[in-house]
Amino acid sequence: MKPFPSLAAASLLLVSVAAQAQTRSVTGQVVGADKAEALPGVTVLVKGTTNGATTDADGNFTVQVPDKQDVTLVISYLGYAKQEVTVRPDQPRVKIKLAPETASLNDVVVIGYGTVKKRDLTGAVTSVKGEEVTKLPVTTITEALQGKIPGADITRANGYAGQGASIRIRGNRSISNPGSSNNVLYIVDGVQNVNAADIDPNDVQSIEVLKDASSTAIYGSRGANGVIIITTKRGSTGKPKITFNAYSGVTKVAGYGEFMSGPQWVDFRREAFRAAGTWNSPADDAVAFSPAQLDAIQNQQYINWPDQLLHHGMQQNYQVGLSGGSENTKVYFSLGYYDEKGLMKLDRFKRYTTRANIDQTVNKWLKVGVQTQLAYINNDIRRDPFNLASQAVPLGRAYDDEGKLIFRLLGSTQINPLADEQPGVYDRNTKTNRLTAAAYVELTPLDGLSLRSTFAANYATSEAGNFFGVNTIDGAGNRSQASITNNQNRNLSWENVLTYKKEIGDHSLTLTGVASNLSFVNTSSFAGGQNQVLPSQSFYNLGAANQNPFFGSGYVRNDLISFAGRVNYAWKGRYLLTATTRGDASSKLGRDHKWDYFPSVGLGWRIVDESFMQRFKFLTELKLRGSYGVSGNDAINAYGTQNSLTNTPFSWNETTAAPTYTVSGLIGNQDLGWEKTYTTDFGVDFGVLDNRITGTVDYYDAKTKDLIFPLNLAAFTGVTTVNRNIGQTRNRGWEVSVTSQNLRNESLSWSTTLTYARNRETIVELPNGDVIADDYRNSLIVGQPSQVYYDYKKIGIWQLGEEAEANSYGTPGQFIPGDIKVADLSGPDGVPDGKITAADRTIIGSRVPKWTGGLSNDVRYKGFDLNVLLVARVGQWISSDYYAKYSRSGSSNGAIVDYWTPENPTNDYPRPHATRTLSYITTLTEREASWAKVRNVTLGYTIPKSVVGRAKIDNVRVYVSGRNLYTVSNIKDFDPEGEGVIDRPLNRAYVVGLNVGF
C-alpha cells in the first residue's frame, strides 16, 4: 500500500509541470498617456476569462496567459478609456498607455435616487468630476462651478471673508421673493438640505447639475429651481490612501471705486458755492469751509478714508483625507481647516470640518452605512464702515499727535470711519455648529431588487453676539449696546427608495419608488440691552447692559410628505424612456391645497447606434433628447396662509400700557396652492472624430403659472397683504457646451471647454394691470424680467442756451443749465406732452444678463499642467451705489465724476450747487455692465514618481494660482461683478498650493 502516495505525488507533479508548460507570465506597466505617470489600481484581464491582475503602486502587473498563442489583455481604469492590447508569444513584457476619457458614454452619472450611464440619460444633466472642482482654490463648491455649467448664472457679489457665490439655474421663476424662492436644491450623498458651503472641495467625488423637468421631477417641488447633487468620496479596497492638500496666499481689493481726494473735494465744494453765487475765489473760502476745514486745507492735511480701511487679506486651506477598506468594509475620513482674513480689520472667517463615510457589506443581501459631517464656523463680522468713509470729508487726520483716535472729525458731528477698529470697543461674532448625520440600510432580497432606507438629521446651532461701545459708529458717542441671538435648526428626513432592475433580451427596465418625509424646525431667541457697564465683558454679560432691555423668541415648523415613482426603459440601448410622477404635500399651503402631483416624461434616441448611421464614421455619438414635465414651488413662509395676531401695547387715561392684540397685516388665505412650472426641453448630445469634439445643445421653455404673489390690499380693509395664486412668468433659452481635445499625445495634451447660455426671462401676467412700480429697482412689468430698472431716462445735462426749453418742461427755474435732463417719453394719452411726469418712466435695463459663458483651457506638458478659465456675463445692467455717491452741495465726499461747469459742459453729472436740490439722482446710477474675466489661472508641476517614490510617496504636485485676475468691461471704476455696492468690495487672490498622495 505504500507505493500509492508516491504514485499520487508523482502524478500531481506531472500535472503541475504540464500546467506550467501550458502557461507563461506576462509582466507590464500601465501609465497615463496624459501625464506619463504610473497608474496604480488598474484592472488587467485576459479577454474572455476571469483571469487577471491589478497594478501595484508603480503601475506594474503580472498575469498568467496561455503559452504559444496570441492573447488579448483588457485594461480598464476609472477616468480612462478602456483599451485592448494583443500580446504575442514572444512578448514577455508590455508597456501600456491609457488615454484619458473625458466624455465616456459608460461613465456613471448620479441622478435623483439612483444612477445611470451617461449614454442612457434623457434629461439635461451636466456632470463635473471632483478633480475639476479642485482646480481652483475656492471658498465654496458653487464658486468652482462658474463657467462650467451652461444655464447656471453664478456670481460672487460679496468680498467679505468666507463668502461664496450665488447661483441661478435657467433664470428666476418666482417673483414673490426672488432672493430665496428661486434657490436650487442641494443634495449631498442623497441627503437634502445639507449646507454646501460646509463641504471641503477636496472631499468631492462628482457634482451633477439637474436642469430640466425630466431630471428634477423625482424631487417634485424641491427641485423646481434645479438640483445640484454632490457625491463625496467613499472608501475603497486595497492599500489605504492618504492625501494632503493645502494652499495659502494673499488677497487684495479688486477694482474698488475711488472717491475724491482732498484737493478734488475742495474744488467741488468751491464750485458748489460758486453756482450759488457766494464764492468767486479762494478769498471767499470762509463761506464754503469751516475754520477746522480751512486749517486742514492750509496744512494740506488730506486723507483717503477707504484706503485707511482696506488692507491685504489672507487665505489658507488644509485638508487631510484617508481612504481604505476591505472587500466588505470601506471607510473615508477627512479633516479640513479653512481660514480667511478679509480686506478689513475685524473681518475673519474660520471653518473646521470633519467627514466620515463608512459602508459595510454584511452579507450578499444586506448593506449598511453611515455618513457624517461636522462643521464649526467662527466668523468675525465687520459692520459696514464704507458708506460712512465714502461720505467723510477727505480732510484732517485720523489720529492726534499722541496716536489716539480722533472720534469726531474736524470738530464736526462726523464720526471717524476707523472708530470700530480701536481695541475693545467693537465685537461682532457668530459661532455656528452644523452637523449632518445619516444612516442607511440597503436590502437586496432578490436579484435586481433593492430597498434602501435612509434617516438623516441636519442640526445647526448658531450664537450671534454683538457689542458696540460708546465711541463706535453705531454707538455714536451716546451709549453702548450688547445683544445675543441664538438659532437652532433641526431638519429631519426619512426616505425609502425601492429599486428594481431587469434586463430581458433587448429590453432594459429600472423601476424606482420613493417615500419621503421631511421636517423643518427653527427656534430662536434673542436678548440685549444698552449701557454695558464693563466694555471688556462685551456681549457675554447681558445683565450688565442695564438700560432699555429687549428680548424675544420664535418657533417655526413646516413639513413635506412625498411619494414618487419613476420608470427608466431602454430598448436595444437606442430608444430611451424616463417617466416620473411625484406627489407632494406641504404644510405651508392652504387646507385643501396641500397635495399636488408633478409628472414628467423624457425620451431619448441614440441615432448613432442605428445601422443607417454606420456609414458616418466621423460620428462617434449622436443622441436626441426631449422632455416635458411639471414642477412645483411652495415659495412662501410657514404660516403664510393663516391669520395671526400682533402684540400692540395700548395706553388709556395715562395708565401703564397694557398688552393688546390686533390682526396682522398679512391676512390668511386657505385657498393658496402650489406655484407650478411647465417645462419643455429638447437636446442633442454629439461626439465627432473619435470624440475629439463632444458637446451638448439644449433648448428649453419653462412656463410658471399660479405664482404665489403677495397682493397689496386697499387700506380700508384694515390689512395690507394677502398671498394669492396670480400671475405668470416664462423662461426660455439655449445652452451649449463643447469640449475639444486639441492635442493628445504622450508628452503634450490640450483640451478646451466652451459653455454658452442665453436665457430670456419675462413676466407674462400680473395682477391689477401690466405694471407694479413700487421702486425703480424693484418694479414688475409684463414682458420684462422680474429684476428691471424702471426709471426716467437721462439724456444729458441742460446746457447754456437751453434755458427756454428747460422752462417749458416745468415751472420757471425748475430746470436750469447744469441740471439733469430726462426724456419726455409719454403723457396721459400715451404720447409726449412736454412735461416730465411719472408717465415718462421707462425700462432702462435689467439685472438679468442676455447671455453667460465660460472658456476653460487645460494644457499638460510632461509634468506641467496649466488651467486658464475665462468667464463672461453680458447684457445686464446695474444700479450702482458708487455712482449714487454724489452730494451736490459738497457737504460730504463722493465718487470721482465728470461734473458740469460752465467751463466743462459735460453731459455726465450735474453741476454742484450749495443750495439747490437734485432731481432724478437715480438715473446717475444705472449703467450697462457687461464683463468678461480671467477668473482663474493655475500652473502646476507634478514631481516624477521616480523622485518621490523613494520616499514611499505616490504623487506630489505643487502649483500657483491666481483668481479674479483681470476684467474687461466698460465699467472702469470698480469690479462690475460686485455691481458697485461700496460696502462689500470684491477681492483678488494669489495662492501657492500643494497636493500629496501616499
Side-chain angles (χ1 to χ4, degrees), residues 757-786:
R758 188 179 188 91
N759 177 65
R760 183 183 178 189
E761 176 186 315
T762 55
I763 296 174
V764 177
E765 178 185 315
L766 285 173
N768 300 337
D770 296 337
V771 178
I772 299 177
D774 294 331
D775 178 78
Y776 82 101
R777 286 181 173 178
N778 298 298
S779 295
L780 302 175
I781 301 173
V782 169
Q784 298 295 326
S786 60

Short mmCIF file of all heavy atoms in Angstrom, two decimals, residues 757-786:
data_model
loop_
_atom_site.label_atom_id
_atom_site.label_comp_id
_atom_site.label_asym_id
_atom_site.label_seq_id
_atom_site.Cartn_x
_atom_site.Cartn_y
_atom_site.Cartn_z
N ALA A 757 -24.82 80.16 -22.59
CA ALA A 757 -26.23 80.07 -22.23
C ALA A 757 -26.90 81.41 -22.49
O ALA A 757 -26.35 82.46 -22.14
CB ALA A 757 -26.40 79.67 -20.77
N ARG A 758 -28.07 81.35 -23.07
CA ARG A 758 -28.85 82.56 -23.33
C ARG A 758 -30.26 82.32 -22.82
O ARG A 758 -30.95 81.41 -23.27
CB ARG A 758 -28.87 82.87 -24.83
CG ARG A 758 -29.51 84.22 -25.16
CD ARG A 758 -29.47 84.48 -26.66
NE ARG A 758 -29.90 85.83 -26.98
CZ ARG A 758 -29.10 86.88 -27.08
NH1 ARG A 758 -27.79 86.71 -26.89
NH2 ARG A 758 -29.56 88.08 -27.36
N ASN A 759 -30.67 83.12 -21.85
CA ASN A 759 -31.98 82.94 -21.23
C ASN A 759 -32.80 84.22 -21.39
O ASN A 759 -32.31 85.33 -21.13
CB ASN A 759 -31.83 82.63 -19.73
CG ASN A 759 -33.17 82.50 -19.04
OD1 ASN A 759 -33.95 81.60 -19.34
ND2 ASN A 759 -33.47 83.41 -18.12
N ARG A 760 -34.04 84.04 -21.83
CA ARG A 760 -34.96 85.17 -21.91
C ARG A 760 -36.01 84.99 -20.82
O ARG A 760 -36.84 84.09 -20.88
CB ARG A 760 -35.62 85.25 -23.28
CG ARG A 760 -36.53 86.47 -23.42
CD ARG A 760 -37.23 86.52 -24.75
NE ARG A 760 -38.14 87.67 -24.83
CZ ARG A 760 -39.02 87.87 -25.80
NH1 ARG A 760 -39.11 87.00 -26.80
NH2 ARG A 760 -39.80 88.93 -25.78
N GLU A 761 -35.94 85.84 -19.85
CA GLU A 761 -36.85 85.79 -18.70
C GLU A 761 -37.90 86.89 -18.84
O GLU A 761 -37.57 88.05 -19.02
CB GLU A 761 -36.04 85.99 -17.41
CG GLU A 761 -36.86 86.05 -16.15
CD GLU A 761 -36.00 86.40 -14.95
OE1 GLU A 761 -34.89 85.82 -14.82
OE2 GLU A 761 -36.42 87.27 -14.15
N THR A 762 -39.19 86.52 -18.76
CA THR A 762 -40.26 87.51 -18.91
C THR A 762 -41.39 87.25 -17.92
O THR A 762 -41.66 86.11 -17.55
CB THR A 762 -40.86 87.49 -20.33
OG1 THR A 762 -41.31 86.16 -20.64
CG2 THR A 762 -39.85 87.94 -21.37
N ILE A 763 -42.01 88.34 -17.50
CA ILE A 763 -43.26 88.26 -16.74
C ILE A 763 -44.40 88.27 -17.74
O ILE A 763 -44.50 89.17 -18.58
CB ILE A 763 -43.38 89.45 -15.76
CG1 ILE A 763 -42.26 89.40 -14.72
CG2 ILE A 763 -44.73 89.44 -15.07
CD1 ILE A 763 -42.23 90.60 -13.80
N VAL A 764 -45.24 87.25 -17.69
CA VAL A 764 -46.33 87.11 -18.67
C VAL A 764 -47.61 87.76 -18.19
O VAL A 764 -48.36 88.35 -18.97
CB VAL A 764 -46.56 85.61 -18.98
CG1 VAL A 764 -47.72 85.42 -19.95
CG2 VAL A 764 -45.28 84.99 -19.54
N GLU A 765 -47.86 87.68 -16.89
CA GLU A 765 -49.13 88.19 -16.37
C GLU A 765 -48.94 88.68 -14.94
O GLU A 765 -48.22 88.06 -14.15
CB GLU A 765 -50.19 87.09 -16.41
CG GLU A 765 -51.55 87.49 -15.85
CD GLU A 765 -52.50 86.32 -15.80
OE1 GLU A 765 -52.59 85.57 -16.79
OE2 GLU A 765 -53.16 86.13 -14.76
N LEU A 766 -49.57 89.81 -14.62
CA LEU A 766 -49.52 90.37 -13.29
C LEU A 766 -50.93 90.72 -12.82
O LEU A 766 -51.81 91.00 -13.65
CB LEU A 766 -48.68 91.66 -13.26
CG LEU A 766 -47.17 91.52 -13.34
CD1 LEU A 766 -46.54 92.89 -13.49
CD2 LEU A 766 -46.61 90.82 -12.10
N PRO A 767 -51.16 90.73 -11.52
CA PRO A 767 -52.46 91.19 -11.02
C PRO A 767 -52.57 92.70 -11.15
O PRO A 767 -51.57 93.43 -11.09
CB PRO A 767 -52.45 90.75 -9.55
CG PRO A 767 -51.00 90.74 -9.20
CD PRO A 767 -50.28 90.28 -10.43
N ASN A 768 -53.78 93.17 -11.36
CA ASN A 768 -54.06 94.62 -11.37
C ASN A 768 -53.28 95.37 -12.44
O ASN A 768 -52.78 96.46 -12.22
CB ASN A 768 -53.76 95.24 -9.99
CG ASN A 768 -54.61 94.62 -8.90
OD1 ASN A 768 -55.66 94.06 -9.19
ND2 ASN A 768 -54.15 94.70 -7.67
N GLY A 769 -53.16 94.77 -13.62
CA GLY A 769 -52.55 95.52 -14.71
C GLY A 769 -51.17 95.04 -15.10
O GLY A 769 -50.70 94.00 -14.64
N ASP A 770 -50.51 95.85 -15.94
CA ASP A 770 -49.24 95.45 -16.53
C ASP A 770 -48.02 95.96 -15.79
O ASP A 770 -46.90 95.55 -16.09
CB ASP A 770 -49.18 95.95 -17.99
CG ASP A 770 -50.24 95.28 -18.85
OD1 ASP A 770 -50.69 94.19 -18.47
OD2 ASP A 770 -50.61 95.87 -19.88
N VAL A 771 -48.19 96.89 -14.86
CA VAL A 771 -47.05 97.49 -14.19
C VAL A 771 -47.31 97.58 -12.69
O VAL A 771 -48.36 98.06 -12.27
CB VAL A 771 -46.73 98.91 -14.74
CG1 VAL A 771 -45.57 99.52 -13.97
CG2 VAL A 771 -46.43 98.86 -16.22
N ILE A 772 -46.36 97.10 -11.90
CA ILE A 772 -46.36 97.33 -10.46
C ILE A 772 -45.06 98.06 -10.16
O ILE A 772 -43.99 97.47 -10.08
CB ILE A 772 -46.45 96.01 -9.66
CG1 ILE A 772 -47.75 95.28 -10.01
CG2 ILE A 772 -46.38 96.28 -8.17
CD1 ILE A 772 -47.89 93.93 -9.31
N ALA A 773 -45.16 99.38 -10.06
CA ALA A 773 -43.97 100.22 -9.95
C ALA A 773 -43.78 100.66 -8.50
O ALA A 773 -44.08 101.79 -8.13
CB ALA A 773 -44.09 101.43 -10.88
N ASP A 774 -43.29 99.77 -7.68
CA ASP A 774 -43.07 100.10 -6.27
C ASP A 774 -41.79 100.91 -6.08
O ASP A 774 -41.71 101.78 -5.22
CB ASP A 774 -42.99 98.81 -5.44
CG ASP A 774 -44.31 98.07 -5.42
OD1 ASP A 774 -45.35 98.73 -5.54
OD2 ASP A 774 -44.29 96.85 -5.31
N ASP A 775 -40.78 100.60 -6.87
CA ASP A 775 -39.48 101.23 -6.69
C ASP A 775 -38.72 101.09 -8.00
O ASP A 775 -38.89 100.11 -8.72
CB ASP A 775 -38.72 100.54 -5.55
CG ASP A 775 -37.34 101.13 -5.34
OD1 ASP A 775 -37.24 102.21 -4.73
OD2 ASP A 775 -36.37 100.51 -5.82
N TYR A 776 -37.86 102.04 -8.30
CA TYR A 776 -37.18 101.99 -9.60
C TYR A 776 -36.30 100.76 -9.74
O TYR A 776 -35.99 100.32 -10.85
CB TYR A 776 -36.37 103.28 -9.81
CG TYR A 776 -35.01 103.30 -9.16
CD1 TYR A 776 -33.85 103.06 -9.90
CD2 TYR A 776 -34.87 103.58 -7.80
CE1 TYR A 776 -32.60 103.09 -9.30
CE2 TYR A 776 -33.63 103.62 -7.20
CZ TYR A 776 -32.50 103.37 -7.95
OH TYR A 776 -31.25 103.40 -7.36
N ARG A 777 -35.89 100.15 -8.61
CA ARG A 777 -35.07 98.94 -8.66
C ARG A 777 -35.91 97.67 -8.54
O ARG A 777 -35.39 96.58 -8.79
CB ARG A 777 -34.05 98.95 -7.53
CG ARG A 777 -32.88 99.90 -7.72
CD ARG A 777 -31.92 99.81 -6.56
NE ARG A 777 -30.71 100.59 -6.79
CZ ARG A 777 -29.72 100.70 -5.90
NH1 ARG A 777 -29.81 100.09 -4.74
NH2 ARG A 777 -28.65 101.42 -6.17
N ASN A 778 -37.16 97.77 -8.14
CA ASN A 778 -37.96 96.58 -7.84
C ASN A 778 -39.34 96.62 -8.48
O ASN A 778 -40.31 96.18 -7.88
CB ASN A 778 -38.11 96.42 -6.32
CG ASN A 778 -36.78 96.22 -5.63
OD1 ASN A 778 -36.09 95.24 -5.88
ND2 ASN A 778 -36.41 97.16 -4.78
N SER A 779 -39.44 97.14 -9.67
CA SER A 779 -40.72 97.19 -10.35
C SER A 779 -40.95 95.91 -11.14
O SER A 779 -40.01 95.26 -11.60
CB SER A 779 -40.77 98.40 -11.30
OG SER A 779 -40.70 99.60 -10.58
N LEU A 780 -42.21 95.54 -11.28
CA LEU A 780 -42.62 94.36 -12.04
C LEU A 780 -43.43 94.81 -13.24
O LEU A 780 -44.42 95.53 -13.09
CB LEU A 780 -43.45 93.42 -11.16
CG LEU A 780 -42.76 92.92 -9.88
CD1 LEU A 780 -43.74 92.11 -9.05
CD2 LEU A 780 -41.52 92.10 -10.21
N ILE A 781 -43.02 94.38 -14.43
CA ILE A 781 -43.64 94.86 -15.66
C ILE A 781 -43.82 93.68 -16.61
O ILE A 781 -42.89 92.90 -16.85
CB ILE A 781 -42.77 95.94 -16.33
CG1 ILE A 781 -42.58 97.12 -15.37
CG2 ILE A 781 -43.37 96.40 -17.65
CD1 ILE A 781 -41.60 98.16 -15.86
N VAL A 782 -45.03 93.55 -17.14
CA VAL A 782 -45.32 92.48 -18.09
C VAL A 782 -44.43 92.62 -19.32
O VAL A 782 -44.23 93.72 -19.85
CB VAL A 782 -46.81 92.51 -18.48
CG1 VAL A 782 -47.07 91.58 -19.67
CG2 VAL A 782 -47.67 92.11 -17.30
N GLY A 783 -43.87 91.49 -19.76
CA GLY A 783 -42.98 91.49 -20.91
C GLY A 783 -41.52 91.69 -20.58
O GLY A 783 -40.67 91.65 -21.46
N GLN A 784 -41.23 91.92 -19.27
CA GLN A 784 -39.87 92.18 -18.83
C GLN A 784 -39.44 91.14 -17.79
O GLN A 784 -40.27 90.46 -17.21
CB GLN A 784 -39.77 93.58 -18.23
CG GLN A 784 -40.10 94.70 -19.19
CD GLN A 784 -39.11 94.80 -20.33
OE1 GLN A 784 -37.92 94.54 -20.16
NE2 GLN A 784 -39.60 95.19 -21.50
N PRO A 785 -38.13 91.03 -17.55
CA PRO A 785 -37.68 90.15 -16.46
C PRO A 785 -38.17 90.67 -15.11
O PRO A 785 -38.65 91.81 -14.99
CB PRO A 785 -36.15 90.23 -16.56
CG PRO A 785 -35.87 90.69 -17.95
CD PRO A 785 -37.01 91.59 -18.32
N SER A 786 -38.01 89.86 -14.09
CA SER A 786 -38.50 90.23 -12.76
C SER A 786 -37.60 91.25 -12.08
O SER A 786 -37.99 91.83 -11.08
CB SER A 786 -38.63 88.99 -11.87
OG SER A 786 -37.37 88.36 -11.72
#
